[in-house]
Amino acid sequence: MSGMRPRFRRPPDHHGHALACAALLALVPAGAAPAAEFILNGSIEQYHGLGRPFAWDFRTNAGCKVNSDPAFARSGTRSLEFDLSIADGPEWDSRRYKVSPGRSYRARFFHRTTQALSSGEVLAFVRWWADDSWSDWNGQARLTGDIGRVETAGWVEAQADVVVPAGAHYGEFHVWGVDTARGPRGRIYLDDFSLKPLAGGAPLGSPAPADG
C-alpha cells in the first residue's frame, strides 16, 4: 500500500462501528507451530529488503522494523518489531482483504515484549473499509490493548472474533503504538497473523492490489 493515510485518534474501548466478540489472551511456548496463514505473509517470512515485509506497510517509519533474528520470531526467522525507544505512534498495516458484511471472522496473532514500555501501550485492531481507497474508512474492531506494558515470559496469543459491519468490504490488521512518548524504553515483537472465517462465514477474499 502506498499514499497518505488518515491519522486516527485513539479510539474508545467500545467502537460503534464494529464489535470484537470474545477476546482471548494466553501464553504460548516459544517455538510453537505457526498459525495457519489466512492473510498474505502473516508469518512475516517474505521480505523484499525495502524496510518492510511483503504485503505489509508502515505509517510511521521510525520504530517500525523487520526482525531477522530467529530468537525473536515465533516461527521461522522473521517478525515485526516495534522499537518504542526511538518513536511515538509507529503503525504497521497488513494488506487489505475482501470480506463479507455481517460475517464473522476470527482474528489471531502473537506478541512478545522483551522490554516494557516506559509509557503508553500498543493496540491491535481489524480496520474496515468500504473500498480500497484511503478515504472510505468504515470503523474498526479492537482486538487487544495493553501490549508492552509488562515484559512477557514468552509469546502471548491474542485472538478475537469480529463481525464485519454493514457497508464494509475490506479488512486489514492495524497495530499502533499509542502515547509511548519516544521511550526511552520499549521493544515488542509481533508474528503469525491470521484472519479466518468462522463456520458459516464466507471465505476470506483475495488481497487488494498493492505495490509491496
Side-chain angles (χ1 to χ4, degrees):
M1 300 176 196
S2 61
M4 296 298 295
R5 303 185 177 196
R7 177 67 172 180
F8 300 113
R9 296 186 180 277
R10 178 174 176 171
D13 288 345
H14 304 287
H15 198 286
H17 291 284
L19 176 66
C21 323
L24 170 68
L25 296 177
L27 277 172
V28 296
E37 285 190 40
F38 292 92
I39 67 168
L40 191 61
N41 199 22
S43 66
I44 321 299
E45 292 303 299
Q46 300 178 57
Y47 178 56
H48 52 34
L50 299 177
R52 56 188 173 90
F54 177 70
W56 288 81
D57 203 359
F58 44 66
R59 184 186 181 280
T60 304
N61 187 6
C64 292
K65 301 179 180 180
V66 178
N67 163 64
S68 298
D69 183 346
F72 300 103
R74 178 178 175 264
S75 63
T77 61
R78 292 189 174 93
S79 61
L80 299 181
E81 179 181 347
F82 273 132
D83 181 356
L84 282 307
S85 68
I86 62 173
D88 188 25
E91 302 174 39
W92 279 109
D93 292 329
S94 74
R95 185 82 57 89
R96 293 182 191 176
Y97 297 85
K98 290 184 178 179
V99 293
S100 300
R103 298 292 191 180
S104 297
Y105 295 81
R106 178 156 295 162
R108 183 177 183 236
F109 72 99
F110 297 81
H111 60 89
R112 178 183 177 188
T113 300
T114 59
Q115 186 184 74
L117 293 165
S118 303
S119 63
E121 62 184 316
V122 171
L123 305 176
F125 305 87
V126 173
R127 294 201 302 192
W128 310 114
W129 302 85
D131 55 36
D132 196 39
S133 73
W134 292 115
S135 61
D136 215 349
W137 184 55
N138 204 357
Q140 57 195 4
R142 176 169 168 165
L143 306 180
T144 187
D146 294 330
I147 297 173
R149 290 192 184 275
V150 296
E151 293 182 13
T152 60
W155 289 93
V156 179
E157 178 184 7
Q159 176 179 291
D161 296 344
V162 296
V163 179
V164 183
H169 298 282
Y170 286 87
E172 68 179 1
F173 276 99
H174 177 69
V175 190
W176 181 17
V178 180
D179 298 331
T180 56
R182 298 181 182 272
R185 290 171 47 87
R187 193 170 299 274
I188 297 159
Y189 300 90
L190 311 161
D191 207 354
D192 293 332
F193 292 78
S194 62
L195 188 62
K196 179 182 180 180
L198 297 178
L204 190 66
S206 57
D211 44 292

